[in-house]
Amino acid sequence: ENQTRTCVESAMVEKTANDGRSNPVTDEDGSGSIYSSHSDDEDELDHSDEEDDLQMTDASSSESILPSRVHLLLLFIFSALASYVVQVYILGTPPSPALLSSEISPYSDIPMFATAESEVYIGVDDHLDRSAEFKKSSVEVCRPDSSEEGSCENPLLDPNLKPMGKVNFGRLKAAIARMERLGMDINKDYDVNGSLEDSDENELGFDDEDAPELTTRTGDPQYLLEKIEAIDTGYYYASPSVASFYIDGEGNQISASPGVSGGGKSKPISPMGGFDPATKDRVRPLRPDFTGFAGKFVNVSPDTLVLFWEDHTGEGYEIATALPFQAVDTATFPGHTFYFTPEYDHSHQLIRYIMTADEPVHYYDSISDNDRKYKELTAPQRELYHLHLVNMDYSRDYLVNSRRSFMGMFPFGGLPIHFMHPANYFGQHISVVSNERYFVTNPPRKEGMEQLNSKMYRKRRKLENDGSDNLSLKEYRSTEKMILNMTVLSCAPRVFEIPNFLSKVEVSHLLEITAGLTLESSSTSGDNTNEAKDDLTETRTSTNSWIYREQSPIVDAIYRRAADVLQIDEALFRDRDPSERRDVSSKAGMAEALQLVHYSKGQEYTAHHDFSSPHTLNVHQPARFATILIYLNGEDDGLVGGETVFPRWENLESHGGLQVTPEPGKAVLFYSQLPDGNMDDLSQHASYPVMEGQKWLANLWVWDPIMEFN
């Protein structure tokens, strides 16, 4: 299973390089064009080899294999009992719950979330219960303590988190009245055992023999309402006033942000017009020159649709395929026009949308005004429809409370399980101690790989009682205590600058690795299967490749240091043995391979987000949580331009974007999620064109709560 997963993830990693999102739109007035790529088809994994091998062709074969089967069964029972005894009576902990799989579903051509092994759950019972179970088992993930594995303070509750309170799920109540008015029997779509009937192939693509089991009340809005109203509606993040970003921890007013026009190179710019701290809550940020934002389009219908963008000439460009009851997203600007078409008739526009920043999320609902179509829905389809009604009502109240659009899928997801650094004011300094001291010389490859492959190397390193540490390859590292100093460049979005994240030797090591790699054209959403898009303006013109943590001890040290910066246990950045971090249900790593990116003269990456919409029924709602950009060269290497820019940062000083100048070894940390788990639309960022020379950097993406590509 591990080999299968490794092969599949390796094959998918380039295809899903940027979280499966559509490429951003490249111009603001709608007069230009867009570049996007999308691939819907995934090869179905064949998990039936073992079953085929066990099928006997005659009676003699069955008799000959019977003793071995009995022995295997007895061995399995004995092993399970022994494991239980060891865990309960020796380790003092109960066996961990079933793993919540982050692997590809065996029904990989079907938009369905798979739990452990091949089980597929559709009913809301299983999803809500497993979502709650995962959150409960993961509550200790947030911040590792030096004394005991898995323990942490509770940094989840940001002071600006406010309870959502009671939500009126009026749409779902209307669905209850609708079913009564139509005289619908909720039990007509399944038998008493909960399996689909009277259909050679149901709407999810299963044959009868593969049909998943349903909960006993699937598709019943009254039952769903009871379940939804019984759970906590969670929190929303109340954004602090932009004026508070100019007041330090001691109450002093700050006269300049370190991030204006140069990324860490301060300009003495006072807040425009100044402000009275007593009235800071009424101060509004300056309107940025850049007006883009994330657009989300939800297909609330049982039909597969295609999303198109229309340019100023009326020509349409395909953006993405929206599967039944699923969402797609893309970067956009005010005034841009999008439309949905049926999958096999692109000339028929079902609905058109003209984008505004106040309404970035759009729903195509073909069911609410069509009783015939509603009655034709099967139980699983009806439940998906009802879940979207729930999400619409929750999104409405979230918008009223937080003044921002909800990009998630209630009731799934929730607060991030990872720690988030505060960004209270510009120039705020945060110091992080890391045990992963700099490499100052390259260790011999043989010795380094032997250390990397040893069991002791995989253990979390921490200071011993005498102040020493169990750091490997010490003779090749610096002897000084390692303190990484972070500076807040932006509070909304949360952006931090980390000088000297890498040593010169570590920078050179990453660049040396590239000599043996093949760089390919970068894209924002994986495979580009539409040749027509070759004529469009590309949003990303760089090339990239991938560096895996297991490639060298230095790369491994970079991952461990990044974990220290994020205050996340490094074990969560890799696949783990069942005995490791038993408090965490998922055993798959939450960090992607390092993406090494190269920009030549004239190349750029226009404004985009690092997140996208996960599957509707994915109980985790996994998405990229944080990004660490690591620069590998700068001005001294002949680089001119290539700044990283956050065009929508909130401030009182500039209408322009927050710019960060590349310097070798410097890193930038920013979060793609808000403390309430919603996506942070302000995290949109870009790479300015390289004017002279070339630009090298590495991206490290960390997911929450698990890593699972859409």
Side-chain angles (χ1 to χ4, degrees):
E1 290 178 355
N2 290 335
Q3 290 175 344
T4 301
R5 180 178 63 209
T6 301
C7 292
V8 172
E9 289 178 346
S10 298
M12 288 187 63
V13 70
E14 183 171 348
K15 174 181 176 182
T16 56
N18 287 278
D19 196 8
R21 65 186 182 282
S22 300
N23 283 15
V25 179
T26 59
D27 65 15
E28 179 174 341
D29 58 4
S31 60
S33 59
I34 59 174
Y35 174 82
S36 66
S37 59
H38 184 85
S39 176
D40 301 306
D41 297 328
E42 297 178 3
D43 293 335
E44 183 174 348
L45 298 179
D46 186 358
H47 294 276
S48 62
D49 293 341
E50 294 184 13
E51 296 178 3
D52 292 340
D53 292 338
L54 292 176
Q55 289 179 354
M56 297 295 102
T57 57
D58 52 43
S60 60
S61 300
S62 300
E63 292 174 358
S64 63
I65 201 170
L66 183 58
S68 61
R69 283 181 171 177
V70 172
H71 293 158
L72 288 175
L73 178 61
L74 292 174
L75 179 61
F76 174 79
I77 294 174
F78 177 79
S79 300
L81 290 174
S83 175
Y84 184 88
V85 170
V86 169
Q87 287 187 319
V88 176
Y89 295 101
I90 298 179
L91 299 179
T93 57
S96 58
L99 301 186
L100 292 171
S101 172
S102 63
E103 303 174 17
I104 299 174
S105 165
Y107 308 97
S108 56
D109 60 332
I110 302 167
M112 180 52 56
F113 170 69
T115 58
E117 299 178 353
S118 61
E119 297 174 311
V120 181
Y121 290 90
I122 298 179
V124 70
D125 280 348
D126 296 293
H127 284 75
L128 292 180
D129 293 345
R130 287 176 178 265
S131 179
E133 176 184 331
F134 183 85
K135 292 174 186 177
K136 181 179 179 180
S137 67
S138 303
V139 70
E140 299 297 337
V141 174
C142 48
R143 194 174 187 177
D145 184 83
S146 59
S147 60
E148 184 177 351
E149 180 179 357
S151 63
C152 66
E153 301 171 359
N154 186 11
L156 295 175
L157 295 182
D158 186 285
N160 293 304
L161 285 175
K162 310 296 181 184
M164 272 289 293
K166 185 175 179 60
V167 175
N168 179 19
F169 297 105
R171 288 182 174 87
L172 192 57
K173 294 175 182 177
I176 297 173
R178 185 183 194 182
M179 291 190 70
E180 293 176 350
R181 174 175 58 83
L182 297 175
M184 295 177 60
D185 179 6
I186 65 169
N187 297 309
K188 71 174 184 177
D189 292 307
Y190 51 88
D191 60 26
V192 293
N193 295 320
S195 60
L196 297 174
E197 61 176 10
D198 299 330
S199 175
D200 292 333
E201 184 176 346
N202 63 63
E203 76 290 343
L204 295 174
F206 295 100
D207 294 330
D208 280 344
E209 60 183 14
D210 296 324
E213 291 190 356
L214 308 179
T215 54
T216 55
R217 301 287 294 278
T218 299
D220 178 2
Q222 179 63 52
Y223 184 62
L224 177 60
L225 181 63
E226 295 171 2
K227 296 286 292 187
I228 294 297
E229 290 186 336
I231 66 175
D232 188 357
T233 53
Y235 299 85
Y236 70 91
Y237 179 67
S239 299
S241 167
V242 65
S244 68
F245 304 161
Y246 292 88
I247 302 176
D248 65 17
E250 298 179 355
N252 302 315
Q253 188 168 339
I254 304 170
S255 61
S257 161
V260 175
S261 301
K265 299 180 179 179
S266 302
K267 273 192 172 184
I269 303 176
S270 298
M272 291 189 174
F275 64 90
D276 180 359
T279 63
K280 63 181 179 62
D281 291 339
R282 295 194 294 271
V283 178
R284 295 289 178 263
L286 295 180
R287 187 181 298 274
D289 294 331
F290 180 85
T291 60
F293 55 91
K296 180 177 180 179
F297 303 86
V298 187
N299 175 16
V300 189
S301 83
D303 308 311
T304 298
L305 306 179
V306 180
L307 180 69
F308 282 82
W309 172 75
E310 183 179 278
D311 68 8
H312 69 290
T313 67
E315 184 175 358
Y317 296 90
E318 182 178 338
I319 297 294
T321 298
L323 296 171
F325 301 103
Q326 303 304 316
V328 294
D329 35 41
T330 183
T332 185
F333 289 90
H336 274 176
T337 299
F338 294 86
Y339 57 87
F340 271 130
T341 73
E343 182 180 16
Y344 300 110
D345 184 4
H346 295 174
S347 63
H348 177 43
Q349 298 183 16
L350 298 170
I351 190 170
R352 294 170 61 87
Y353 307 103
I354 298 178
M355 303 303 293
T356 65
D358 294 332
E359 193 176 5
V361 181
H362 293 276
Y363 299 88
Y364 172 69
D365 183 356
S366 65
I367 303 171
S368 61
D369 297 327
N370 191 326
D371 287 344
R372 178 187 60 80
K373 203 162 191 176
Y374 183 70
K375 293 180 70 174
E376 290 175 351
L377 295 178
T378 60
Q381 289 178 332
R382 196 162 60 244
E383 183 157 292
L384 282 169
Y385 177 64
H386 293 157
L387 282 170
H388 278 294
L389 297 182
V390 168
N391 189 57
M392 290 179 197
D393 283 333
Y394 182 87
S395 300
R396 175 203 61 218
D397 287 14
Y398 181 92
L399 175 62
V400 171
N401 289 329
S402 68
R403 300 181 182 179
R404 75 175 65 86
S405 296
F406 183 63
M407 307 295 286
M409 183 66 191
F410 181 82
F412 307 136
L415 297 177
I417 66 173
H418 297 317
F419 171 76
M420 291 186 70
H421 284 291
N424 299 325
Y425 55 89
F426 294 126
Q428 180 179 3
H429 294 291
I430 300 173
S431 295
V432 177
V433 178
S434 175
N435 294 326
E436 290 300 317
R437 300 196 299 269
Y438 294 127
F439 276 92
V440 293
T441 57
N442 275 303
R445 175 171 176 79
K446 182 178 180 181
E447 180 182 356
M449 294 308 294
E450 288 177 352
Q451 287 274 1
L452 185 60
N453 294 328
S454 68
K455 291 184 178 180
M456 289 299 297
Y457 194 90
R458 291 176 64 87
K459 291 186 176 181
R460 185 154 58 92
R461 302 166 193 154
K462 54 186 178 181
L463 295 177
E464 305 296 344
N465 294 332
D466 60 359
S468 62
D469 57 54
N470 57 356
L471 191 65
S472 62
L473 302 170
K474 294 180 182 179
E475 59 271 32
Y476 306 104
R477 300 181 186 245
S478 63
T479 58
E480 301 175 357
K481 183 179 181 180
M482 186 162 193
I483 300 178
L484 296 170
N485 296 307
M486 304 168 54
T487 302
V488 174
L489 300 183
S490 169
C491 303
R494 298 189 186 191
V495 182
F496 307 82
E497 182 183 60
I498 313 172
N500 303 314
F501 180 74
L502 299 185
S503 67
K504 292 182 179 179
V505 168
E506 292 164 343
V507 169
S508 299
H509 179 72
L510 292 183
L511 292 174
E512 288 169 1
I513 289 179
T514 64
L517 299 177
T518 301
L519 297 179
E520 299 182 0
S521 297
S522 303
S523 68
T524 52
S525 60
D527 289 344
N528 177 20
T529 56
N530 190 339
E531 296 180 359
K533 298 188 183 75
D534 293 342
D535 297 330
L536 303 180
T537 302
E538 296 184 0
T539 64
R540 187 172 193 173
T541 53
S542 59
T543 53
N544 72 277
S545 190
W546 302 91
I547 301 176
Y548 294 88
R549 176 174 178 173
E550 300 80 10
Q551 201 151 340
S552 76
I554 292 181
V555 177
D556 178 79
I558 294 172
Y559 272 82
R560 292 175 181 267
R561 194 176 302 152
D564 288 339
V565 166
L566 291 168
Q567 294 290 280
I568 300 174
D569 188 350
E570 63 82 20
L572 300 180
F573 283 14
R574 54 177 166 79
D575 291 349
R576 297 172 301 284
D577 297 329
S579 61
E580 191 175 15
R581 287 306 300 266
R582 291 187 298 271
D583 57 316
V584 183
S585 297
S586 174
K587 298 304 176 185
M590 302 178 186
E592 296 183 44
L594 276 175
Q595 185 193 47
L596 186 70
V597 186
H598 173 253
Y599 294 83
S600 297
K601 183 177 180 179
Q603 292 184 325
E604 65 177 327
Y605 195 174
T606 58
H608 62 281
H609 299 86
D610 283 353
F611 60 80
S612 72
S613 298
H615 189 278
T616 299
L617 278 182
N618 193 316
V619 298
H620 312 304
Q621 292 295 288
R624 284 174 174 162
F625 168 75
T627 300
I628 297 181
L629 302 174
I630 307 171
Y631 300 107
L632 304 180
N633 69 325
E635 295 178 356
D636 294 342
D637 304 300
L639 172 62
V640 179
E643 297 88 355
T644 301
V645 60
F646 295 85
R648 298 171 61 194
W649 71 306
E650 292 189 346
N651 72 100
L652 299 172
E653 305 171 54
S654 171
H655 296 279
L658 164 67
Q659 298 180 29
V660 184
T661 302
E663 298 174 9
K666 182 169 77 174
V668 170
L669 161 67
F670 66 91
Y671 293 100
S672 293
Q673 294 186 26
L674 295 167
D676 61 11
N678 192 18
M679 297 298 101
D680 188 356
D681 195 15
L682 298 181
S683 66
Q684 198 167 9
H685 55 287
S687 176
Y688 278 168
V690 173
M691 308 305 294
E692 296 291 342
Q694 55 184 340
K695 174 183 175 182
W696 291 90
L697 81 156
N699 294 313
L700 177 60
W701 287 298
V702 178
W703 287 60
D704 183 281
I706 63 173
M707 184 170 68
E708 183 173 289
F709 294 104
N710 190 358

